[in-house]
Amino acid sequence: MADEMVFLWRSAVRLRAVPALLKFSAVAIVLVAVTTYGPLRWSGVSAHEVSGAGTAAGTDAEGRAFVDSLLKKMTLEEKIGQMSQVPLNSTPDRPVDEMIRKGQVGSFLFITNAAEINRLQHVAVEQGRLHIPLLFGFDVIHGFRTIYPVPLAMAASWDPAVAEREQRMAAKEARATGVQWTFGPMVDIARDPRWGRIMEGAGEDPYLGSRMAEAQVRGFQGAALGSPEHILACVKHFAGYGAASGGRDYEESNISDEQLWNVYLPPFHAAIEAGAGSVMSAYMDLNGVPATGNRFLLHDVLREDWKFNGMVVSDWNSVSSLTTHGFARDDQDAAVRAVNAGVDMEMTSHSFRDELAAAVRKGSVTEATIDAAVEDILMTKYRLGLFRNPYIDVAHAAEQLVTPEQREAARETATRTAVLLRNEGQLLPLSKQYKSIAVIGMLADSKADIMGSWSLAGHPEDSVTVVEGMRKRFSPGTTISYTKGVEIEREQPSIFDDQFVSPKPTMKTEAEREAEFGHAIELVRQSDVAVLVLGELQSMSGERASRSSLTLPGKQEELLEAAVATGKPVVLVLLNGRPLDITWASEHVPAILEAWYPGTEGGDAIADLLSGDANPGGKLPIAWPRSVGQIPINYGRNLTQIPEALNERYWDGTSAPLYPFGYGLSYSNFTVGNLKLAEPTVHAGSTLKVSVEVENRSSREGDEVVELYTHQRAGSASRPVRELKGFERVSLKAHEKRTVTLTLETKELGFWSPETHRWAIEPGMFDLWVGSDETAGNHGEFEMLP
């Protein structure tokens, strides 16, 4: 009993119950010790509830001492229970409360009801034998209730501060409802736009991807794990998932060591260095070994090389899927391979729960391995402050959702992520002389589709469509007319249709469709200017949403061509999560605005951009192909035979992209010149200052992104013709000229050599370019010294 009382007193101190006692001294408070190691209760309120949500934990040393003590009290079955994550978007195979009481679950996902999250947490803390809090996860990818632009759009801002704020605002909403863990950011490099999940990442470049990865981790987690109004980040999908063969989701990735180390791993490493608290293993085979059973990735790279000390969770069912891959013999073998590789927690399937205890008894897995996994999980909960305060303020949770502050941030973010691809004759911003505007396209008035995929906690009714935004901005004074023109539909159902669905077509006959098509073109004829909002349904991008072509779905291309044929000025606004085949439009449509999936405030943001209230300044985070036959067309290719003919690799057309990496226009007119390097030489491990003059030669304030590229002329291996190594987005007033100085970190010039099989910064001559995209013409050179 003495030991129990000591534990209770230590718990009171750890849970900050003593200050709470003083705080509530005017109230009759009774401390009740219930059962062995029971929870503290203050007049019906758990001591955990006394301090505010997000209370920071103690030091890691204190945490490890606490966790080590707790591990000694746990049975093997309770340890394995902590390694199990159960989804609540379907009925579990066992009663939820019973699982919690018996210590058979450590985490739940796909639950956002604040009251139910609190109730389940009370069951765990008050009725579980060891009172271990639960960890609640949800896919907070680009917003929670308020939806922000998709991550590919975030990268198009070329502004890490934009990505950091977006994820900070998303974390604030999620944490208010009890969600403590997001499965993001996704930092997979993707160079094939057929792959549906390209929308979830930062595009093709490891440097840009690394900066966006760091920013998102900071946004989600704050200064440290457990920061108020922040949540645990989970970097995914480790590693190589974005290189799926043929862009087909879940298929194998065959990546050379050189590409793995120099292209696909750097954003993961950057996220780990930024403090990411968890990592998710990937679905697919990497060079023949499934990532979830890949000890090289999860142990040798992640734990040994990078010294990662957080927790690793599998992707959905990816432990049990090791048998599907033909890698594991059965569920027990799958569990053994995954945990021995370095997976701490199994998401959704039950191979750990059902098989690990027997595997330990057989000697296939040591209990020390189990302890190490559980220590990672418990330390994560400790760092999040859950042992001090696992509860939330349910009464005020709803007040934190879709607030004016959230809407304002979402709207501004959507304007900063848009990319102006074409603007012939300065059609944009739309002149006030236009008194009638035809807005055409099914997507122009779809509240769900403007949000994009992975908007599972969002409510379509919160969204502002393009039609709504245009009417608010341009009326009165300008007539806004709208019709669909055509409808589009995904040929195969989406795996998310039961959770988040796009509007279904309503026109059932060909006669109805022809009449609507004709009505749309007549509306264009009757208007001064037409805005066609085309692209993809939100369900056409994302997981299990790969495509064999990049054409505009349905008859949208025909609608666009017919609209242009009327002779009226046409603006094309794209809503999509990948580059699409707009080669015809690039030659015939005078203005093209890439708005991506802009989120809850997308309609207002697009109206801001079309009216000139906002000036587009985004840049492409991926080279835009002319046709699917050019894929992959990433800019960072190696110099090869006949380097002067890089854009003449096909006899039947150019091999140059339609729009290069880093490209984007503005309503302003910028020049970048007068390149200066501070020194002609630089020593490895130091920095080099590079400056240029940026001038806004227009009468409109706007943003330009200054981009720095390098090329190593010779070394132990061939290096890409150009690599992004620095950038800065700057805002210039009308006619302003400014010197912009970029700091080139020589560590960014290091690479993993396939010749030496090691990472090094090699001495030698380097070329350097600075400009507005990867074709930048301002050239300099410097020598790298040891």
Side-chain angles (χ1 to χ4, degrees), residues 292 314-315 317-323 334-335 338 343 346 349 351-352:
T292 296
S314 77
D315 207 339
N317 280 354
S318 67
V319 173
S320 64
S321 290
L322 294 178
T323 58
V343 175
E346 179 180 15
S349 51
S351 301
F352 280 9

Side-chain angles (χ1 to χ4, degrees), residues 174-472:
R175 191 67 188 90
T177 67
V179 171
Q180 307 134 347
W181 185 15
T182 178
F183 305 113
M186 191 196 91
V187 302
D188 296 296
I189 294 298
R191 296 177 164 181
D192 189 337
R194 294 173 298 181
W195 188 53
R197 301 194 79 167
I198 192 172
M199 59 147 283
E200 293 179 55
E204 70 176 58
D205 184 78
Y207 183 85
L208 178 61
S210 294
R211 304 294 78 79
M212 291 297 162
E214 296 163 345
Q216 290 184 77
V217 169
R218 291 193 300 267
F220 281 131
Q221 293 188 172
L225 286 185
S227 296
E229 299 184 337
H230 288 78
I231 57 181
L232 172 69
C234 184
V235 186
K236 66 183 186 185
H237 306 82
F238 197 61
Y241 184 38
S245 179
R248 297 181 295 271
D249 207 1
Y250 310 143
E251 295 217 1
E252 75 278 358
S253 295
N254 293 300
I255 305 173
S256 69
D257 288 347
E258 188 273 333
Q259 287 282 288
L260 183 66
W261 284 105
N262 294 321
V263 175
Y264 291 93
L265 289 182
F268 287 96
H269 185 243
I272 298 304
E273 290 291 294
S278 65
V279 169
M280 180 186 292
S281 65
Y283 286 121
M284 79 303 144
D285 283 4
L286 175 63
N287 301 330
V289 180
T292 296
N294 195 315
R295 186 170 172 82
F296 163 73
L297 283 177
L298 301 178
H299 178 268
D300 298 356
V301 175
L302 190 60
R303 301 288 190 185
E304 292 295 317
D305 287 359
W306 295 354
K307 310 304 179 187
F308 176 66
N309 68 350
M311 64 178 276
V312 175
V313 64
S314 77
D315 207 339
W316 187 281
N317 280 354
S318 67
V319 173
S320 64
S321 290
L322 294 178
T323 58
T324 306
H325 285 267
F327 181 68
R329 293 184 305 275
D330 51 33
D331 272 0
Q332 187 171 120
D333 191 32
V336 168
R337 287 175 179 245
V339 75
N340 283 339
V343 175
D344 297 322
M345 180 179 286
E346 179 180 15
M347 180 186 287
T348 69
S349 51
H350 302 302
S351 301
F352 280 9
R353 185 194 71 185
D354 296 342
E355 302 292 346
L356 274 184
V360 170
R361 288 191 286 270
K362 286 171 56 178
S364 304
V365 177
T366 66
E367 190 155 0
T369 297
I370 302 296
D371 286 352
V374 178
E375 181 179 13
D376 291 339
I377 295 165
L378 296 178
M379 276 300 300
T380 298
K381 293 181 178 183
Y382 183 87
R383 290 169 180 146
L384 287 170
L386 297 182
F387 283 100
R388 295 192 177 199
N389 179 20
Y391 303 120
I392 57 167
D393 184 354
V394 176
H396 294 95
E399 298 173 4
Q400 305 299 317
L401 307 180
V402 205
T403 62
E405 178 191 23
Q406 290 280 355
R407 284 192 176 275
E408 181 181 354
R411 183 171 181 168
E412 182 183 353
T413 300
T415 62
R416 291 183 65 81
T417 55
V419 182
L420 183 63
L421 298 177
R422 182 173 163 89
N423 195 22
E424 294 300 303
Q426 303 300 302
L427 177 56
L428 292 177
L430 293 174
S431 170
K432 293 181 180 179
Q433 72 181 17
Y434 295 129
K435 299 303 180 184
S436 58
I437 303 174
V439 181
I440 309 295
M442 176 181 177
L443 298 177
D445 202 32
S446 172
K447 288 180 173 290
D449 291 305
I450 203 164
M451 299 163 71
S453 183
W454 289 112
S455 299
L456 301 179
H459 291 196
E461 61 268 23
D462 296 334
S463 296
V464 180
T465 69
V466 176
V467 173
E468 291 171 339
M470 293 284 286
R471 283 177 174 156
K472 282 194 287 182

